[in-house]
Amino acid sequence: FFQSFLSTPLLRLKMSASIRRQSTLKTRNKDTSDGLRPQHRLGGGKGKGKGKGGRGAAGKSVSRSARAGLQFPVGRVARYMRKQNLAPRLAAGAPVYLAAVLEYLCAEILELAGNAARDNKRSRIIPRHLQLAVRNDEELNQLLGNVTIAAGGVLPNVHQVLLPKKSKKSK
């Protein structure tokens, strides 16, 4: 009786549907670390996204600035150098070197300007502090000798001739 009962097509269809439903639920409820369905997990699959496919073992791209340990953008410096048509070809190390030099100069000027701001009991650097920093440093003054810093003012300086004469003490 049971075999004949199972052989009815309608019952077989209902049973196979319930078995399929249970099997899909089992695959979804697998104990995964992130609780996501396979198509929503990162990595491995085809298509776009932050997966590990496409580049092979290369992994994440690292900027040239990060490789060189710089804050200044090496790629942008390279682009500016190419646009300037300095030479028909550009070595890979040239923009790195130039970015490093520019970063050093900026750090030097900002440190001296920060000291000038602190001397004036200020917490912000203004153009006056930049002017004082550049003009009080011999090498920076030589480098930026022909540069005018807007709203920088001038160094405080009174010529010796203009000072009042010291009177001699009479005994």
Side-chain angles (χ1 to χ4, degrees), residues 65-80:
S65 299
R67 262 190 215 128
L70 297 174
Q71 297 299 313
F72 267 54
V74 173
R76 189 177 300 177
V77 171
R79 188 177 76 233
Y80 291 157

Side-chain angles (χ1 to χ4, degrees), residues 13-142:
L13 186 64
K14 285 183 178 179
M15 286 181 65
S16 63
S18 68
I19 290 170
R20 272 184 285 171
R21 194 178 313 116
Q22 286 176 355
S23 65
T24 56
L25 289 174
K26 284 178 189 172
T27 57
R28 281 190 189 166
N29 292 337
K30 278 186 184 173
D31 187 25
T32 57
S33 59
D34 54 5
L36 297 173
R37 285 187 247 157
Q39 62 265 31
H40 296 132
R41 280 192 211 109
L42 297 177
K46 293 180 183 176
K48 297 179 183 178
K50 298 177 183 175
K52 293 181 183 175
R55 288 189 183 208
K60 249 185 158 181
S61 61
V62 181
S63 68
R64 287 190 279 177
S65 299
R67 262 190 215 128
L70 297 174
Q71 297 299 313
F72 267 54
V74 173
R76 189 177 300 177
V77 171
R79 188 177 76 233
Y80 291 157
M81 289 175 80
R82 280 195 306 270
K83 280 190 178 179
Q84 289 246 316
N85 290 328
L86 300 170
R89 297 171 68 178
L90 187 65
V96 177
Y97 198 95
L98 182 57
V101 169
L102 291 173
E103 184 175 320
Y104 169 74
L105 286 172
C106 281
E108 190 73 22
I109 291 173
L110 284 173
E111 182 184 352
L112 293 171
N115 293 343
R118 194 170 3 102
D119 293 343
N120 291 327
K121 299 180 179 116
R122 300 280 188 268
S123 59
R124 289 184 186 161
I125 296 173
I126 59 174
R128 173 70 178 159
H129 302 141
L130 291 171
Q131 175 81 327
L132 292 172
V134 168
R135 300 303 167 211
N136 285 325
D137 188 76
E138 187 180 331
E139 292 173 340
L140 284 174
N141 190 28
Q142 185 181 353

Side-chain angles (χ1 to χ4, degrees), residues 128 132 136 154-163:
R128 173 70 178 159
L132 292 172
N136 285 325
V154 294
L155 285 181
N157 184 25
V158 178
H159 202 275
Q160 292 292 328
V161 176
L162 300 174
L163 292 173

